[in-house]
Amino acid sequence: MMDKDTAIKKMLQPQEFFVAYAQATNMPYISCDEETMEDEVWVFASEDDEKAFAKKMQESHMYLTGMKVPKNQYQTFFSVLYAMGVDAFVFNEGEASARFRLDDIIRFDMNKLPENKRPLMNQPLQLSGLYFMQELRRPQQYRDQKKINALEEEVIANLRKADILMAVDSAQEGKVNIPCIRNKEQKAFQPFFSDTMEAEKFIKGKKLRLLRVKFMDLSKYLIDAVDGYAINPLGFNLLLTKEQIEKLTKQ
């Protein structure tokens, strides 16, 4: 073990650190600390440390990829973690490790922004979606179905309470176009986003604007010419059919 202050220095002073990303979600791998019940990400001093952790996690059929975070992107990365609802880090260097909170190194206060300029965040929905997909996308024979069922119920509850974002293209006068994405099988999905962070990943470089809608009103905005609907397509990518949307939004 190493003390918290030493771990923070070892993480922040170098020109880079490495983060374990879950292949199932394209997002940082998250776990829940058994004692504090806080949601945490795993950070490493070196690529070799991250690879050793990823190899160990393969034993439980959790597949991870190492991502390098250069120093000029530290603050952006911490903003991503805040939007996800992450509480803490587990920092690892060789055999030594330490745990510390995100607010030990940076604090965010959205209340300082005018209400009309605050980004949409759905931290409970992000977290429940990430945990759900991390478990659901294990090989079928290794899934904990009881755990998956409980996480699915949590995701549904958080969806029903949420405002979400949809992207539209209104460049042509009098017309509104809805963007779609296609999977490897060329099936079309209409994208929606749990928060501003996820939406900005998708609209970057595109002339799109965002509309904020209630998930329970989502059936009003669905288009016919799609095979399904993707929540956070560049994140945990939860796919829903039209029938599932209609069932979930039924009052």
Side-chain angles (χ1 to χ4, degrees), residues 93-110:
E93 183 183 50
E95 298 297 320
S97 66
R99 189 177 182 280
F100 53 91
R101 291 179 52 84
L102 177 62
D103 59 18
D104 287 328
I105 57 177
I106 190 169
R107 293 180 182 270
F108 296 91
D109 187 357
M110 293 296 112

Side-chain angles (χ1 to χ4, degrees), residues 144-176:
D144 182 338
Q145 194 59 49
K146 185 176 180 180
K147 187 175 183 179
I148 288 173
N149 292 343
L151 288 169
E152 183 179 31
E153 289 182 9
E154 189 175 348
V155 172
I156 290 170
N158 287 325
L159 277 171
R160 285 175 165 161
K161 293 184 289 187
D163 285 4
I164 60 174
L165 297 170
M166 63 179 291
V168 298
D169 178 1
S170 56
Q172 293 181 299
E173 187 174 349
K175 293 183 179 180
V176 174

Side-chain angles (χ1 to χ4, degrees), residues 34-91:
E34 294 182 357
E35 293 184 4
T36 66
M37 300 306 293
E38 292 179 328
D39 305 293
E40 57 196 15
V41 297
W42 293 71
V43 181
F44 303 85
S46 72
E47 186 175 15
D48 286 344
D49 290 334
E50 188 283 325
K51 286 182 176 180
F53 177 72
K55 185 176 181 179
K56 182 178 179 181
M57 291 298 292
Q58 284 185 25
E59 297 171 7
S60 58
H61 304 280
M62 181 66 69
Y63 299 101
L64 307 177
T65 299
M67 297 290 288
K68 180 172 72 173
V69 181
K71 194 161 191 171
N72 62 359
Q73 294 180 20
Y74 285 4
Q75 186 160 347
T76 299
F77 178 69
F78 299 148
S79 299
V80 169
L81 298 185
Y82 177 73
M84 289 170 57
V86 168
D87 301 304
F89 299 92
V90 181
F91 178 77

